[in-house]
Amino acid sequence: MPDFFDVVHTQRACRSFSDDDVPDELLAKVLDAATFAPSAENKQPWAFVVVRDPDTRGRIAELTRQVWEGGARQYEETHLDARILADVDQGTTGGFARAPVAVVVCGDAGSAFESTLPSSVFPATQNLLLAATALGLGSALTTLATAMRDELSTSLALPDTVKPMAVVFLGWPAKKLGPPKRVSYREKTHRDRYGESFWRS
Ligand SMILES: Cc1cc2nc3c(=O)[nH]c(=O)nc-3n(C[C@H](O)[C@H](O)[C@H](O)COP(=O)(O)O)c2cc1C
């Protein structure tokens, strides 16, 4: 198992997958890690719909494509780094559809205040992504399909209180991903008050 800090430093979005399946035993490890996240009042208001069925997976990938091509791409053309734009194009036009598993991460408003759902559900999602990376799996946290919440909820038979918040595509990476591009923590940290660099040397 890789070192925790190696996992953190290599985790990134994977948008092209090989045809190889992901065994349930690995999914269990990934989902177990997800459920050890903190949550407001320890309500653990998450629900994971693990989609293997090809038709349902295809539907989710299709909703993702529709939202991207129906306006999100046009907006992102002027906002997103060209490299990421091209990769999302690749994911939405076939890459995501080839992932053997789509985990729809939901928040249950029946078991927690709705306003706390994102802050409780996304730590669990991050645990899931890190666990996937630790096991060598590729993963992509996506939210495009949630813009078509009704269609997504219908295809998964979600009760009204269960809100789809993200779709994580999971599988084996078709190619090796390079290192993530991130701004150094040094530029994001302040000493005692905003604007004073914490790091003096
Ligand atoms: C809240 C959130 C929503 C995201 N939604 C999408 C998405 O809908 N489609 C997608 O391809 N990537 C999505 N991403 C992945 C980001 O594009 C990715 O994390 C970011 O560009 C960093 O790229 P890297 O992982 O390659 O370093 C999302 C990430 C977050 C945190």
Side-chain angles (χ1 to χ4, degrees):
M1 198 59 62
D3 171 76
F4 172 78
F5 292 96
D6 289 342
V7 172
V8 169
H9 285 140
T10 51
Q11 196 289 318
R12 56 175 302 204
C14 172
R15 300 186 180 88
S16 48
F17 300 91
S18 77
D19 293 331
D20 299 322
D21 202 0
V22 178
D24 278 350
E25 299 75 61
L26 288 192
L27 287 179
K29 283 183 185 268
V30 164
L31 292 162
D32 175 60
T35 56
F36 276 80
S39 61
E41 299 177 324
N42 199 22
K43 293 289 187 194
Q44 306 165 54
W46 38 68
F48 307 97
V49 183
V50 179
V51 182
R52 285 190 181 279
D53 172 64
D55 289 345
T56 313
R57 269 197 300 113
R59 175 80 180 131
I60 295 169
E62 175 56 16
L63 291 175
T64 304
R65 187 192 67 75
Q66 282 177 21
V67 174
W68 181 243
E69 293 183 353
R73 185 187 198 286
Q74 195 180 15
Y75 172 83
E76 292 296 358
E77 271 170 15
T78 51
H79 290 83
L80 207 53
D81 175 282
R83 178 190 59 84
I84 302 174
L85 187 77
D87 205 41
V88 178
D89 273 339
Q90 191 281 127
T92 52
T93 56
F96 292 144
R98 274 192 290 279
V101 177
V103 179
V104 183
V105 183
C106 305
D108 186 353
S111 60
F113 289 118
E114 192 159 351
S115 61
T116 66
L117 288 183
S119 41
S120 290
V121 164
F122 281 102
T125 311
Q126 175 71 359
N127 273 12
L128 190 160
L129 297 174
L130 291 173
T133 302
L135 294 168
L137 289 164
S139 60
L141 163 58
T142 71
T143 48
L144 284 165
T146 63
M148 297 183 84
R149 181 151 122 183
D150 291 348
E151 292 83 347
L152 185 57
S153 298
T154 301
S155 64
L156 303 168
L158 297 182
D160 279 352
T161 57
V162 177
K163 321 284 180 193
M165 305 186 76
V167 177
V168 178
F169 293 100
L170 274 177
W172 300 102
K175 58 181 185 207
K176 195 169 159 39
L177 299 169
K181 280 171 76 175
R182 298 291 187 266
V183 175
S184 167
Y185 64 93
R186 290 177 164 264
E187 292 179 46
K188 297 285 186 183
T189 323
H190 309 263
R191 182 178 289 268
D192 297 328
R193 57 201 294 180
Y194 191 88
E196 287 292 318
S197 176
F198 187 83
W199 311 97
R200 290 192 167 135
S201 57

